[in-house]
Amino acid sequence: MRHFKVGIAFAAIAMLVAAPAVKADEIVIKFSHVVAENTPKGQAANKFKALVEQRLAGKVKVEVFPNSQLFNDNTVLQAMLLGDVQLAAPSLSKFGKYTKKLPIFDLPFLFKNIQAAERFQQGPAGQKLLMSMESKGLIGLGYLHNGTKQLSASKPLRVPADAKGLKFRIQTSDVLAAQFEAVDALPLKKAFSEVFTLLQTKAIDGQENTWSNIYSKKFFEVQDYITESNHGLIDYLVVTGAEFWNGLPADIRTEVKKALDEAIAHGNKVALQKAVSDRKLIMDSGRTKILQLSDSERKKWVEVMKPVWKKFEDQIGKDLIDAAVASNVGS
Ligand code: SIN
């Protein structure tokens, strides 16, 4: 027995010695996210890893942790400030603790489509927002798309009154809470990793998400109806810790940023494709019914939810909201 234990100890030491160890001066970038790998964010993260490891081999190593394996979105930013993770791309709805401005992206019916959101993000106001949390130790490196949100529920939602009294999971955003309160529903802030079980066990009645997230996390298998509402969007802020980022050697930082920009461009292409293909996969599955809104039904949702803008106007700033609205021109 004693020989056996000694043998195991030697084997463990040998494995440690033989492991492809991180070289002493190699920089490790841990990229934590909550979605599946077959999503815009999952694909962007994997592309980033491939590009960095091809161009900065031996200098920078990237470790990607999908599916909330390392942190969920409610803990990742704190972990980043502690230096436990270097890159993440939480949804823009999850920064309310750090900035009053980013919740602009949650205002219902703000952008006509992803192209309008892209114009706003790449314009001067959107670019300024990237640095809105610098004093809190977080730097935004770019925006990444996922898509527009649909409402799913255990019953058909055609007009706002249909949502009355239902429990909806929301991301950690006060704007999203106000959006559901506007239709007399009950919003519950829960981590993305909990949504499937909450729906399956009927602890909640519905949720809002993109076609890609509804498909990849199988929400459509446990929701009888999806209303194609396109009432908001889920996009991401690719974020890093200021201390980590500013501490990188300048040449490495430039290369890492270049790889990230290319990975984001790749993720954005995937986002456009998945908004169509994952919707089709859900429809073809026959597991849920996709409801289209008539113009007059859609108008009712807009009328009831739009007053949320006024509620957050002082916090977000009217100028910023006006700039976002202006980006709809051309859509
Ligand atoms: C994500 O797409 O990263 C998660 C969105 C959510 O929490 O619903």
Side-chain angles (χ1 to χ4, degrees), residues 33-35 41 73 89-91 94 146 169-172 190-193 195 207-210 213 219 234-236:
H33 68 82
V34 299
V35 290
K41 182 159 54 182
D73 277 345
S91 139
K94 294 178 179 166
N146 182 334
R169 175 269 173 172
I170 57 163
Q171 304 176 76
T172 50
K190 296 283 178 191
F192 185 61
S193 51
V195 180
Q207 62 87 47
E208 52 169 12
N209 232 303
T210 61
N213 283 350
F219 300 161
I234 291 186
D235 272 3
Y236 305 113

Side-chain angles (χ1 to χ4, degrees), residues 104-105 110-111 115-127 129 143 320-321 323-325 327:
I104 186 172
F105 288 98
L110 179 64
F111 296 110
Q115 289 71 22
E118 168 78 16
R119 278 195 287 275
F120 174 69
Q121 290 165 358
Q122 300 311 325
Q127 290 298 298
L129 285 178
Y143 295 98
L320 199 58
I321 297 176
V325 171
S327 69

Side-chain angles (χ1 to χ4, degrees), residues 51-326:
L51 290 174
V52 167
E53 294 192 352
Q54 177 194 337
R55 294 172 188 172
L56 294 167
K59 294 184 184 163
V60 181
K61 184 175 163 56
V62 177
E63 296 172 356
V64 178
F65 299 89
N67 292 311
S68 310
Q69 273 167 16
L70 193 59
F71 297 107
N72 71 34
D73 277 345
N74 302 333
T75 53
V76 72
L77 296 176
Q78 193 54 36
M80 187 167 274
L81 292 172
L82 293 172
D84 293 335
V85 60
Q86 289 68 42
L87 266 188
S91 139
L92 290 162
S93 312
K94 294 178 179 166
F95 290 91
K97 248 166 97 179
Y98 299 90
T99 164
K100 292 183 179 320
K101 302 288 172 193
L102 281 177
I104 186 172
F105 288 98
D106 289 331
L107 294 178
F109 299 102
L110 179 64
F111 296 110
K112 283 203 179 132
N113 48 37
I114 285 287
Q115 289 71 22
E118 168 78 16
R119 278 195 287 275
F120 174 69
Q121 290 165 358
Q122 300 311 325
Q127 290 298 298
K128 202 168 154 203
L129 285 178
L130 294 177
M131 298 308 278
S132 61
M133 298 175 291
E134 197 183 8
S135 63
K136 306 270 169 59
L138 296 172
I139 292 179
L141 296 174
Y143 295 98
L144 171 66
H145 296 309
N146 182 334
T148 50
K149 286 185 292 190
Q150 322 303 335
L151 282 169
S152 76
S154 50
K155 60 173 273 201
L157 303 177
R158 290 200 173 277
V159 291
D162 295 333
K164 188 174 173 166
L166 299 189
K167 292 191 199 112
F168 286 89
R169 175 269 173 172
I170 57 163
Q171 304 176 76
T172 50
S173 157
D174 292 343
V175 176
L176 297 179
Q179 170 193 274
F180 279 102
E181 281 158 7
V183 297
D184 294 324
L186 305 169
L188 297 167
K189 291 178 182 168
K190 296 283 178 191
F192 185 61
S193 51
E194 294 176 42
V195 180
F196 180 85
T197 306
L198 290 168
L199 293 172
Q200 190 184 37
T201 58
K202 305 214 181 302
I204 55 173
D205 304 294
Q207 62 87 47
E208 52 169 12
N209 232 303
T210 61
W211 291 117
S212 163
N213 283 350
I214 294 172
Y215 178 71
S216 57
K217 288 294 176 189
K218 301 186 189 316
F219 300 161
F220 69 103
E221 293 185 2
V222 286
Q223 291 275 263
D224 290 337
Y225 298 92
I226 301 176
T227 301
E228 191 157 24
S229 50
N230 294 310
H231 62 284
L233 88 159
I234 291 186
D235 272 3
Y236 305 113
L237 186 72
V238 183
V239 67
T240 187
E243 204 178 317
F244 164 75
W245 190 247
N246 295 328
L248 285 176
D251 56 333
I252 299 266
R253 191 165 53 228
T254 303
E255 276 301 317
V256 169
K257 178 68 167 64
K258 199 164 157 262
L260 192 61
D261 289 344
E262 288 175 42
I264 287 175
H266 175 70
N268 286 343
K269 271 196 205 136
V270 175
L272 289 180
Q273 288 158 5
K274 289 211 163 275
V276 178
S277 59
D278 286 351
R279 179 188 181 282
K280 181 163 173 9
L281 287 168
I282 292 170
M283 198 165 70
D284 292 350
S285 75
R287 299 288 292 263
T288 186
K289 195 164 165 33
I290 298 179
L291 306 175
Q292 312 285 341
L293 295 177
S294 69
D295 285 351
S296 73
E297 286 168 342
R298 188 177 160 81
K299 210 163 147 229
K300 288 192 177 113
W301 290 95
V302 177
E303 268 166 22
V304 175
M305 287 182 165
K306 199 92 180 271
V308 169
W309 292 26
K310 199 78 200 149
K311 206 167 164 191
F312 288 89
E313 191 178 277
D314 286 349
Q315 172 190 316
I316 292 169
K318 187 165 177 345
D319 287 358
L320 199 58
I321 297 176
D322 288 346
V325 171

